[in-house]
Amino acid sequence: MKRILALFFGIFLFNSSFGQQIDTLNVIVLSPNKIEISENYLTDYKTLKKEIIERRKTTKEYKQKIKQANIEEFDKQPEYTKTMFNNELNFYDSLTVDNFVTMVVREYISYRLFKPFKIKPRIVLASVKSSPSDIKQYEGIANGRQNFFIINFPKMKFYKEKGELNVLTNIELYSSKTKEILLSKENIGIPKGGLTDYPMCSGDSWDCAIVNSVYPSLFEILKIISEKNSSGK
């Protein structure tokens, strides 16, 4: 469990005062809006949620010590990198199994926008904000910012089928330039490791079920963001 939870802590909280530069690509990954837990997974879910909450403070303190021990190197980093790291620390205060998907998607999108798409600066942040699938609400979150994308999870469902955890996730991508939802997909993930091109979960466990419920849509999201960023449309 300790190794699994260590994967949680590479994430960033949305800072509403940042991202006003029109020429900088901004992506915000929202927290899931509606989460349904079936009766046959409820006990496991409550246990997992409690364990994560108990560990997050300790992990935040550990990350803060690493930062301080390497403060000279940290200070040399670009401002957008420092902003994302500092926001990561803030996100720990709200981290639960409910927004694990926000963290892993943020991490994957940020990494892959640089490799292979070579986009920098880029600001990819996780947020405790949530929203239903609603363009007006997305517009409010974007708040007039350009080159701004929202990745959202309008609904998720955790349930067991034949004794195995299944996670059904609806994922959406919204663009502030076109004011439209560019992608909306729904997938079911099971706890099977080794399905992704980037380490996103620990193995055959609950975290891989979450990852596998969104992974089929992620490269398509990356391509759309990259194309819109390059074209300026």
Side-chain angles (χ1 to χ4, degrees):
M1 187 66 194
K2 184 176 181 180
R3 185 167 68 90
I4 294 173
L5 292 176
L7 292 170
F8 277 47
F9 303 109
I11 44 179
F12 312 116
L13 173 67
F14 176 50
N15 181 340
S16 60
S17 66
F18 201 75
Q20 299 298 326
Q21 301 161 283
I22 293 177
D23 61 346
T24 298
L25 171 62
N26 288 262
V27 182
I28 177 172
V29 186
L30 301 182
S31 291
N33 180 63
K34 181 180 179 181
I35 299 177
E36 180 181 344
I37 312 297
S38 70
E39 187 65 31
N40 64 6
Y41 188 68
L42 188 57
T43 299
D44 293 337
Y45 170 82
K46 288 180 178 179
T47 299
L48 178 59
K49 191 168 186 175
K50 181 180 178 181
E51 290 178 358
I52 294 168
I53 290 172
E54 289 174 347
R55 290 178 181 270
R56 66 189 184 191
K57 181 179 179 181
T58 301
T59 306
K60 178 178 180 178
E61 291 172 350
Y62 174 71
K63 293 282 286 187
Q64 287 173 319
K65 289 180 180 179
I66 292 177
K67 174 186 172 182
Q68 195 58 42
N70 298 276
I71 194 65
E72 291 184 5
E73 183 62 30
F74 178 82
D75 288 341
K76 296 176 184 178
Q77 298 302 310
E79 286 302 316
Y80 68 91
T81 299
K82 290 189 286 187
T83 298
M84 289 193 292
F85 182 86
N86 287 329
N87 285 340
E88 171 189 354
L89 295 179
N90 293 333
F91 193 80
Y92 299 157
D93 297 330
S94 303
L95 184 63
T96 74
V97 65
D98 295 345
N99 53 22
F100 175 83
V101 68
T102 303
M103 179 274 295
V104 293
V105 169
R106 189 228 63 83
E107 183 177 359
Y108 183 84
I109 294 295
S110 178
Y111 181 77
R112 286 299 183 212
L113 281 175
F114 180 62
K115 293 182 178 182
F117 292 103
K118 307 299 181 185
I119 297 175
K120 67 176 186 178
R122 71 207 178 285
I123 303 163
V124 186
L125 306 169
S127 175
V128 296
K129 291 179 180 290
S130 62
S131 173
S133 177
D134 186 292
I135 288 178
K136 287 296 183 183
Q137 291 203 36
Y138 292 160
E139 288 179 1
I141 294 170
N143 194 29
R145 283 167 286 199
Q146 297 298 302
N147 207 14
F148 189 91
F149 296 87
I150 295 172
I151 298 174
N152 187 31
F153 313 97
K155 62 180 179 180
M156 293 185 71
K157 181 178 180 180
F158 293 73
Y159 63 99
K160 279 187 177 179
E161 188 170 284
K162 297 180 179 179
E164 182 177 60
L165 172 63
N166 282 236
V167 179
L168 183 151
T169 303
N170 176 213
I171 185 170
E172 290 190 344
L173 175 66
Y174 168 83
S175 167
S176 66
K177 286 183 179 179
T178 61
K179 291 183 170 57
E180 62 181 330
I181 296 170
L182 303 177
L183 176 142
S184 182
K185 294 287 183 69
E186 189 172 87
N187 299 292
I188 296 174
I190 59 174
K192 184 176 182 180
L195 297 182
T196 70
D197 65 330
Y198 177 76
M200 297 172 69
C201 61
S202 62
D204 296 341
S205 189
W206 62 269
D207 56 337
C208 283
I210 293 175
V211 167
N212 294 333
S213 74
V214 293
Y215 183 73
S217 303
L218 295 186
F219 200 76
E220 187 174 354
I221 286 175
L222 284 166
K223 288 177 64 178
I224 293 171
I225 292 174
S226 179
E227 289 169 359
K228 296 294 183 181
N229 180 66
S230 299
S231 66
K233 297 180 181 179

